[in-house]
Amino acid sequence: MQLEISSFRSKRPQPLRDVPIHSPCIMHVDQGVKQLVWENRTIAVDKSNLLIVPPRQTLTFVNTPAQGQYLARIVSFSGQLPPHITEQLFAATAQKAPSQPYNYNRPLADISPEVSHIWNTLITASEQNLDEQLLLHYSYGLLLMLSKSIDLSAIFLNRSDSIIDKVLQQFRWSPSHDWKISDVAQRMAMSESTLRRKLSQQQTSFRELLLEFRLCYGLGLLQKQHLSLTDIGAMCGYLSYDRFARQFTGRFGLSPNAYRKTNQ
């Protein structure tokens, strides 16, 4: 299991479409509101709840600042949960019917004082760059706390898309590398045809995953004001910034420059 904790800010309304979510994630909006299109309707995500997103989703939303600032934290889980955590999640589901089953029509969870405490502890530990194992410990505590009232088994247990996590992990080693399917297949000790078949079974392809990874990586880099747009394109694996900008705009409906300006 690997954990990624990200922060996203804006000072102006920030509309984005078709943002891919490859791994299960939990999001909290500290300030402002996320107007999220979900199941053909719009729901408001604010500081009173957590947004719990299953893997392999695409999100369309507008991040709307309050008092001049929007801030959201996202905790993403990739890979398989450790067996002892899996057992405890199963046990929590089996022992007590959750009072708030996960609802795919409204993927929000109310924040109890206990959940708020452990969430804040996790975020603070991340900001202080504490040991990764400690962050994982806090994140498992968060899942176990949520499992007391929400059935998370459909999201975090019995996942069949670990091949996607494994491919994305290869990309993370060097986001700017000119990745070829032959390189990744060799690193994963399988043939190209096997890798293509496994990805096809998950309704995706190597090319699509690489494109989504690069563009999402660019979203995070664009939050860093000290990096030039050209440098960000190169860090995402593009020799031409214009090509990066075209693909970014075509995917998200907002150019890299326009996206950056929402936080200036």
Side-chain angles (χ1 to χ4, degrees):
M1 170 62 68
Q2 290 189 321
L3 198 67
E4 182 177 352
I5 302 177
S6 308
S7 297
F8 287 87
R9 294 175 167 83
S10 67
K11 297 178 181 178
R12 305 176 188 177
Q14 194 178 71
L16 292 170
R17 71 185 183 210
D18 297 332
V19 177
I21 304 296
H22 295 110
S23 303
C25 71
I26 301 175
M27 178 189 305
H28 182 253
V29 177
D30 291 25
Q31 186 171 344
V33 178
K34 177 183 288 290
Q35 300 289 345
L36 173 68
V37 178
W38 188 270
E39 299 292 330
N40 298 318
R41 60 193 180 90
T42 301
I43 59 176
V45 185
D46 58 25
K47 63 182 180 181
S48 67
N49 42 50
L50 291 175
L51 173 64
I52 304 177
V53 183
R56 301 302 295 158
Q57 304 292 315
T58 55
L59 302 185
T60 295
F61 52 83
V62 179
N63 296 330
T64 305
Q67 299 178 339
Q69 182 68 48
Y70 172 89
L71 171 61
R73 322 273 190 175
I74 304 174
V75 178
S76 300
F77 302 80
S78 61
Q80 298 293 329
L81 291 171
H84 69 285
I85 299 298
T86 299
E87 291 173 3
Q88 291 182 64
L89 286 180
F90 267 127
T93 301
Q95 290 174 4
K96 180 181 178 182
S99 58
Q100 187 182 351
Y102 181 80
N103 185 349
Y104 279 91
N105 293 320
R106 188 177 184 274
L108 302 179
D110 295 332
I111 300 180
S112 67
E114 295 81 7
V115 169
S116 177
H117 173 74
I118 196 166
W119 175 270
N120 290 333
T121 300
L122 172 60
I123 297 302
T124 300
S126 173
E127 291 175 340
Q128 294 175 348
N129 296 316
L130 297 186
D131 184 77
E132 183 178 353
Q133 290 303 312
L134 182 60
L135 298 182
L136 284 171
H137 175 76
Y138 290 145
S139 71
Y140 298 152
L142 175 66
L143 294 182
L144 293 173
M145 186 65 68
L146 287 171
S147 71
K148 292 182 178 181
S149 58
I150 304 171
D151 183 358
L152 298 176
S153 59
I155 302 174
F156 289 95
L157 304 180
N158 294 328
R159 291 183 58 206
S160 61
D161 59 344
S162 61
I163 186 66
I164 292 176
D165 287 336
K166 292 175 181 177
V167 172
L168 292 174
Q169 182 57 38
Q170 299 300 320
F171 297 158
R172 292 187 186 104
W173 285 115
S174 180
S176 62
H177 182 69
D178 183 19
W179 289 103
K180 301 290 192 298
I181 190 170
S182 57
D183 301 330
V184 174
Q186 183 177 26
R187 291 169 67 98
M188 295 176 62
M190 65 177 65
S191 67
E192 290 183 39
S193 59
T194 298
L195 180 54
R196 291 183 193 277
R197 175 175 53 81
K198 287 180 176 291
L199 290 174
S200 178
Q201 289 171 347
Q202 298 301 322
Q203 289 77 52
T204 189
S205 67
F206 181 84
R207 182 177 180 180
E208 181 182 359
L209 266 186
L210 180 57
L211 175 61
E212 291 179 347
F213 170 80
R214 285 175 167 172
L215 296 181
C216 285
Y217 187 61
L219 277 176
L221 292 177
L222 284 163
Q223 289 279 316
K224 302 176 181 180
Q225 297 293 326
H226 67 281
L227 295 173
S228 73
L229 295 176
T230 301
D231 286 345
I232 289 174
M235 293 169 70
C236 293
Y238 288 86
L239 298 178
S240 164
Y241 169 73
D242 288 342
R243 186 162 184 260
F244 168 67
R246 284 196 303 272
Q247 292 191 335
F248 187 99
T249 305
R251 176 72 192 216
F252 300 133
L254 200 64
S255 72
N257 189 41
Y259 176 74
R260 166 164 278 181
K261 285 182 177 179
T262 63
N263 198 29
Q264 293 177 341

